[in-house]
Amino acid sequence: MSNLRKFKRKLMLGAGLLAMVASSNIYAAGTLVYCAEASPENFNPQLVTSGISLDASAVPVFNRLVDFKLGTTEIIPSIAKSWEIDDSKTAYTFHLRDDVKWQSNKNFKPTRNLNADDVIFSFMRQKDANHPYHNVSGGQYEYFTSMGMDSLITSIEKVDDHTVVFHLAHQEAPFLADMAMSFASILSAEYADAMMKAGTPEKFDSNPIGTGPFTLVQYQKDSRILFKANPDYFGEKAKLDRLVFTITPDAAVRYAKLQKGECHVMPYPNIADVPQMKQDKNIVVDEMAGLNIGFLAYNMDKPPLNDIKVRKALTLAINKQAIIDAIYQGAAEPAKNFIPPTMWGYNNDVQDYPYDPEQAKQLLKEAGQENGFTINLWAMPVQRPYNPNARRMAEMVQADWAKIGVTAKIVSYEWGEYLTRVRNGEHDALFMGWNGDNGDPDNFFSVQLSCDAVKGGSNYAHWCYKPFDDLIQQGRVESDKEKRTELYKQAQVIMHEQVPLFLIAHSMVYIPVRKEVKGYIMDPLSLHNFNQVSIEK
């Protein structure tokens, strides 16, 4: 080989090594890699409800007026340093910090700190149908609408730059806890104005700036999200320099990456892999009883699912225990109510529907469906804490329904499209679930099953039943916890009788973490917070 060729070869090898170093540099000290299960829908927590979208926006990038103490549902100050509630409990005054700095990006450099105008903008965008940003990026505010916030909040008063008052139409028992939820994140009015003037308002939602512990640097769809620590964060600064979400939909691949050290934390492992994980000296498996519910929703707008006898028949035909054994590997409790048994207001007197195919056939006959029918059964394409394998679960339900003459055709889409289509009501029956956001029963019932939630798009059963809705609305305005408990217990009885959903399970949640990760705390609300996490070799 000539000297020139040798030189060129060495140059190429050197360039290759440099490229490898550059590509692996993202995993250097001070960087945590999280193997995320899916891509976010966008980066505005007002517009999303999926866990990954909130993990990638509300948690690292944004803040709320108040927050939950990490690992609990205790309300603590955040952007608001203090607050007061008037005697009527219909006016909440929030006193804002004056040192909350906005981040910047290539599109925008802020000229001021966060103030009352940003708070008003963040809520009025969701409330006011005539707001210039209301319809931007689809204009669907599931949480805000489903919780009745559009009618609850009558006005937001700016007292001065650092004082705002929320005026409510009536008392709302969970209001303060609701203000700590992701949909209540505070966004920059100044940035919104700049993007609107530039003719690119959608960038406001896809290229966010916030006030949180991390700043979004880069997003490659279906590949990677890169955050860096925000040096101007008003709270306790992040211990990491960089945070990387590497999008890895397959749980087996996430596990392989965790074993190799290519990621430090992974969500939603295959349950069958957990015992092996616990034997690995390099992995710590955190676990917690989830504040969750996995369910199968029957769309009332799609006959014959609007017939209660048909819904009961389909419910009786499903072997729930077989699902618990096969899909959850026993790491779940069969659900008989919509809220988990660890939550106050749970009605233990409700008796679950048995597995009874013969009674199911009789009910179909009474409903005029003795010859059966065909139904589309939608299965999520991703693992969730409340459902580790929706596709396999759909196959089991498909087989059970076939025994009573019902043909189920399994349908699935990419996660973002799946969510969009179910919000539009295209499904007949679908697998979905819910993770609690604030520890209050209202967060389950109102967001998922109220009449407002039908309009908001998160009531997947499209079930608006006045006797039930009246009870949960009373539960929201009643301040006495014992009285609220009785109202929710009555609501659970009605829900059981009407069968809008087949309730599957409340599952254990497992988070495998590399041993070098220090300070990670599991969140009962199922979000993943890396603000105070560090990497120690």
Side-chain angles (χ1 to χ4, degrees):
M1 183 181 294
S2 69
N3 288 337
L4 180 60
R5 289 178 65 191
K6 287 180 181 178
F7 174 76
K8 287 182 177 178
R9 180 174 175 80
K10 287 180 180 179
L11 193 63
M12 291 173 64
L13 287 171
L17 287 170
L18 284 172
M20 289 174 63
V21 170
S23 64
S24 63
N25 189 48
I26 196 169
Y27 307 116
T31 297
L32 182 138
V33 182
Y34 173 63
C35 273
E37 76 280 10
S39 294
E41 299 164 77
N42 65 39
F43 290 91
N44 182 343
Q46 299 173 334
L47 296 163
V48 298
T49 59
S50 68
I52 178 57
S53 298
L54 299 177
D55 281 338
S57 61
V59 180
V61 178
F62 293 101
N63 295 104
R64 288 140 294 285
L65 291 170
V66 295
D67 208 345
F68 296 112
K69 183 178 180 181
L70 188 59
T72 73
T73 55
E74 177 188 344
I75 305 297
I76 59 174
S78 182
I79 288 173
K81 59 186 178 182
S82 64
W83 58 86
E84 296 121 28
I85 308 170
D86 77 345
D87 291 340
S88 70
K89 297 182 181 179
T90 61
Y92 286 69
T93 301
F94 294 94
H95 302 281
L96 312 181
R97 298 174 63 124
D98 60 8
D99 60 345
V100 181
K101 295 183 178 181
W102 287 107
Q103 302 161 5
S104 63
N105 60 22
K106 63 182 181 181
N107 301 311
F108 176 74
K109 306 296 180 187
T111 65
R112 59 168 176 78
N113 287 359
L114 181 146
N115 65 24
D117 293 332
D118 301 310
V119 176
I120 293 171
F121 164 81
S122 299
F123 287 89
M124 292 308 293
R125 172 185 178 171
Q126 300 177 80
K127 174 180 170 59
D128 182 4
N130 295 316
H131 191 282
Y133 260 88
H134 184 78
N135 293 318
V136 172
S137 303
Q140 191 154 12
Y141 307 97
E142 282 190 48
Y143 274 112
F144 195 84
T145 305
S146 298
M147 296 166 69
M149 287 286 167
D150 44 358
S151 57
L152 172 67
I153 299 173
T154 57
S155 65
I156 307 173
E157 175 189 357
K158 177 182 176 180
V159 178
D160 57 44
D161 276 352
H162 296 100
T163 310
V164 292
V165 183
F166 283 74
H167 295 281
L168 309 184
H170 52 74
Q171 292 184 30
E172 181 82 352
F175 182 72
L176 198 59
D178 293 344
M179 288 295 97
M181 289 169 55
S182 297
F183 82 93
S185 295
I186 306 304
L187 285 67
S188 168
E190 188 183 24
Y191 181 37
D193 288 343
M195 292 302 95
M196 184 65 77
K197 288 176 182 175
T200 56
E202 291 80 9
K203 285 186 178 181
F204 178 75
D205 299 318
S206 60
N207 299 298
I209 66 164
T211 58
F214 292 95
T215 301
L216 178 67
V217 176
Q218 183 186 56
Y219 172 46
Q220 297 171 323
K221 184 173 172 56
D222 299 329
S223 177
R224 189 186 73 162
I225 313 171
L226 172 60
F227 304 91
K228 68 177 181 181
N230 177 9
D232 296 323
Y233 183 50
F234 65 88
E236 191 172 0
K237 303 291 192 294
K239 296 179 179 179
L240 298 166
D241 297 321
R242 287 184 289 189
L243 173 63
V244 180
F245 284 27
T246 177
I247 313 302
T248 314
D250 190 297
V253 177
R254 292 200 296 274
Y255 181 24
K257 287 184 175 182
L258 189 74
Q259 288 176 302
K260 295 174 185 176
E262 294 177 8
C263 65
H264 298 99
V265 182
M266 67 165 283
Y268 321 131
N270 289 323
I271 304 301
D273 291 334
V274 170
Q276 182 181 351
M277 291 177 174
K278 290 182 176 180
Q279 298 301 314
D280 191 326
K281 67 182 189 311
N282 293 314
I283 296 173
V284 177
V285 180
D286 291 339
E287 59 184 80
M288 173 186 294
L291 199 68
N292 61 38
I293 174 70
F295 58 82
L296 173 63
Y298 304 123
N299 188 343
M300 302 293 175
D301 292 340
K302 301 293 182 73
L305 297 176
N306 57 339
D307 188 327
I308 189 172
K309 290 184 177 180
V310 171
R311 298 195 300 274
K312 284 186 176 180
L314 294 174
T315 294
L316 290 164
I318 300 172
N319 188 337
K320 184 182 298 187
Q321 191 58 51
I323 290 174
I324 301 294
D325 294 341
I327 307 299
Y328 296 92
Q329 306 279 304
E333 179 174 349
K336 62 180 183 179
N337 288 312
F338 194 60
I339 59 175
T342 53
M343 179 172 280
W344 65 268
Y346 184 81
N347 191 342
N348 198 40
D349 293 333
V350 170
Q351 298 298 309
D352 199 5
Y353 286 99
Y355 172 51
D356 192 339
E358 292 308 312
Q359 186 182 354
K361 291 178 183 177
Q362 178 60 35
L363 284 170
L364 285 184
K365 184 176 181 180
E366 292 174 13
Q369 298 289 339
E370 61 268 29
N371 296 322
F373 56 91
T374 298
I375 185 172
N376 289 323
L377 178 60
W378 289 43
M380 297 174 295
V382 297
Q383 297 91 358
R384 305 303 304 144
Y386 47 75
N387 190 328
N389 193 335
R391 178 74 191 199
R392 176 69 185 119
M393 195 180 292
E395 292 168 353
M396 294 182 72
V397 171
Q398 181 185 52
D400 284 343
W401 283 350
K403 296 172 185 175
I404 62 168
V406 174
T407 300
K409 295 182 178 179
I410 299 174
V411 175
S412 192
Y413 295 93
E414 177 271 330
W415 186 222
E417 185 175 359
Y418 184 91
L419 292 170
T420 298
R421 287 176 177 268
V422 299
R423 286 167 186 149
N424 293 335
E426 296 180 23
H427 58 285
D428 293 340
L430 87 155
F431 287 101
M432 192 56 83
W434 189 248
N435 294 299
D437 293 294
N438 62 17
D440 193 292
D442 176 72
N443 177 243
F444 279 71
F445 294 122
S446 286
V447 179
Q448 290 283 295
L449 294 167
S450 67
C451 293
D452 283 334
V454 176
K455 296 181 292 182
S458 57
N459 185 334
Y460 304 114
H462 292 212
W463 181 57
C464 177
Y465 190 64
K466 191 174 187 304
F468 174 86
D469 202 65
D470 287 347
L471 286 170
I472 64 172
Q473 298 304 331
Q474 290 175 50
R476 293 171 64 181
V477 302
E478 175 59 62
S479 58
D480 185 292
K481 189 173 181 180
E482 288 188 9
K483 292 180 180 178
R484 291 188 75 202
T485 295
E486 287 306 309
L487 290 166
Y488 291 130
K489 284 186 174 181
Q490 293 175 45
Q492 286 163 81
V493 171
I494 291 176
M495 181 180 173
H496 175 77
E497 293 171 348
Q498 291 296 312
V499 210
L501 315 173
F502 171 70
L503 302 175
I504 305 167
H506 311 289
S507 66
M508 290 290 295
V509 179
Y510 299 97
I511 303 292
V513 179
R514 295 278 306 179
K515 68 176 183 179
E516 57 266 30
V517 175
K518 306 299 179 184
Y520 179 76
I521 298 175
M522 282 191 76
D523 189 338
L525 306 177
S526 296
L527 296 175
H528 299 92
N529 189 318
F530 301 106
N531 185 16
Q532 292 305 301
V533 172
S534 61
I535 304 290
E536 297 180 9
K537 294 297 183 182

